[in-house]
């Protein structure tokens, strides 16, 4: 069975309910009909700000084509944790999943692998999909230790996950920190090598279920570099930041992901 392809827009702390609705409308109206009617070749997701999630319900699965993701999720279901939102609460406002371990959360909010591991387990347990992000900073890349670094992040971030929960709800995203929002993209060769390493780790530790996980690339993905990155090998789509805020650019990336051989 072919692995599932995904194109997911991470809108970060941008847009309001009204502008998020407008962007979702433009995206949904521009999705090529064959992607909706034929065998779907890329699933399409967006991760709006939390307070706009429920406003996007009319465009989201199963009523519409979009899968909705939160950009974060608490490590526990509920309780006395001021400011937190649990996976059940995310699902309640329409989310199908959550992005976890994004480098902006790791850096600005000091989230470490141990916390992310608990978040991943809690979200999967609650039935959400999880896009787990891993990626090295520039210093690590320059030291040549990037593959070992990413594998240790991956292994630690999945340390709490009950293997039974692996199934089809876990999606990986390799996002080199130095390529996020900087306009710098990793070369297709570097991306292919890292994805291959991630895939072999997943296969070694989680067998066929691990081997089937979708591995996305993220970091300055644009219409101009998406086809080359899809051809890198072991790339099952993208997590797109900046370019996902423009419907036409995002749609071009969606098409390139769907059409890649
Ligand atoms: P970018 O962001 O596409 O703007 O680099 C990617 C991400 O943060 O997921």
């Amino acid at each position: 069975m072919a692995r599932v392809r995904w194109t997911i827009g991470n809108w970060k702390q941008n847009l309001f309910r009204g502008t998020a609705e407008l962007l979702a409308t433009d995206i949904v109206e521009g999705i090529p009909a064959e992607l909706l009617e034929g065998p779907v070749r890329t699933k399409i997701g967006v991760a709006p700000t939390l307070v706009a999630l429920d406003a996007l319900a009319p465009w989201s699965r199963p009523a519409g084509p979009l899968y909705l993701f939160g950009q974060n999720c608490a490590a526990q279901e509920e309780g006395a944790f001021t400011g937190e939102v649990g996976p059940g609460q995310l699902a309640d406002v329409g989310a199908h999943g959550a992005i976890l371990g994004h480098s902006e959360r790791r850096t600005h909010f000091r989230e470490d692998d141990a916390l992310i591991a608990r978040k991943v387990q809690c979200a999967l347990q609650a039935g959400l999909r999880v896009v787990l992000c891993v990626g090295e900073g520039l210093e690590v890349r320059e030291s040549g230790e990037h593959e070992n670094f990413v594998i240790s992040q991956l292994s630690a971030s999945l340390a709490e996950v009950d293997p039974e929960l692996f199934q089809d709800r876990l999606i990986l995203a390799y996002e080199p920190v130095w390529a996020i929002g900087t306009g710098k993209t990793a070369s297709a060769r570097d991306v292919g090598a890292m994805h291959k390493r991630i895939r072999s780790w997943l296969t070694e530790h989680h067998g066929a279920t691990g081997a089937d996980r979708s591995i996305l690339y993220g970091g300055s993905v644009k219409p101009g570099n998406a086809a080359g990155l899809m051809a890198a090998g072991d790339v099952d789509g993208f997590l797109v930041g900046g370019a996902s805020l423009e419907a036409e650019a995002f749609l071009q990336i969606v098409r390139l992901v769907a059409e890649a051989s």
Side-chain angles (χ1 to χ4, degrees):
M1 201 182 73
R3 291 190 302 268
V4 178
R5 290 184 188 177
W6 284 94
T7 315
I8 301 176
N10 176 7
W11 294 354
K12 308 194 179 184
Q13 195 190 339
N14 295 298
L15 308 176
F16 291 81
R17 287 167 70 86
T19 42
E21 282 175 358
L22 289 176
L23 181 55
T25 310
D26 287 347
I27 290 171
V28 169
E29 285 177 353
I31 295 174
E34 61 271 21
L35 265 187
L36 294 178
E37 286 153 20
V40 175
R41 294 171 62 213
T42 173
K43 294 188 178 184
I44 305 166
V46 294
T49 174
L50 178 62
V51 293
L53 262 172
D54 66 335
L56 300 194
W59 295 274
S60 88
R61 305 269 308 167
L66 301 181
Y67 288 82
L68 300 186
F69 289 85
Q71 298 172 13
N72 182 26
C73 184
Q76 59 286 319
E77 263 293 339
E78 59 184 340
F81 300 97
T82 302
E84 291 289 86
V85 176
Q89 292 158 332
L90 272 183
D92 195 38
V93 289
H96 303 91
I99 298 173
L100 294 175
H102 191 281
S103 67
E104 286 153 16
R105 300 234 35 110
R106 291 178 187 263
T107 307
H108 304 315
F109 305 98
R110 310 233 167 107
E111 294 194 5
D112 60 12
D113 289 333
L115 175 63
I116 292 159
R118 288 192 286 119
K119 290 185 173 199
V120 172
Q121 165 65 14
C122 185
L124 288 174
Q125 178 87 56
L128 288 185
R129 289 177 171 79
V130 166
V131 181
L132 170 62
C133 304
V134 290
E136 82 286 356
L138 190 57
E139 272 180 26
V140 176
R141 165 66 59 173
E142 285 173 346
S143 75
E145 279 303 306
H146 45 283
E147 289 195 11
N148 291 339
F149 179 90
V150 165
I151 293 303
S152 84
Q153 237 182 7
L154 184 65
S155 141
S157 304
L158 292 174
E160 299 287 328
V161 177
D162 176 352
E164 294 282 301
L165 291 174
F166 243 74
Q167 301 167 18
D168 58 352
R169 295 204 303 272
L170 181 68
I171 302 160
L172 287 311
Y174 168 56
E175 299 206 302
V177 180
W178 47 272
I180 296 179
T182 57
K184 290 185 195 154
T185 326
S187 70
R189 204 162 145 236
D190 289 347
V191 172
M194 185 65 86
H195 282 221
K196 191 166 170 221
R197 181 80 195 271
I198 293 173
R199 173 101 44 225
S200 64
W201 186 90
L202 287 167
T203 310
E204 192 184 320
H205 291 83
H206 296 277
T209 320
D212 284 347
R213 298 306 80 226
S214 305
I215 308 176
L216 317 185
Y217 168 77
S220 299
V221 176
K222 306 266 177 307
N225 59 23
L229 288 163
M230 279 304 288
D234 273 310
V235 177
D236 303 307
F238 300 118
L239 183 55
V240 187
S244 72
L245 293 168
E246 292 164 44
E248 195 37 52
F250 184 66
L251 285 164
Q252 281 185 46
I253 296 169
V254 166
R255 275 191 288 271
L256 290 165
V257 170
E259 286 164 6
S261 49

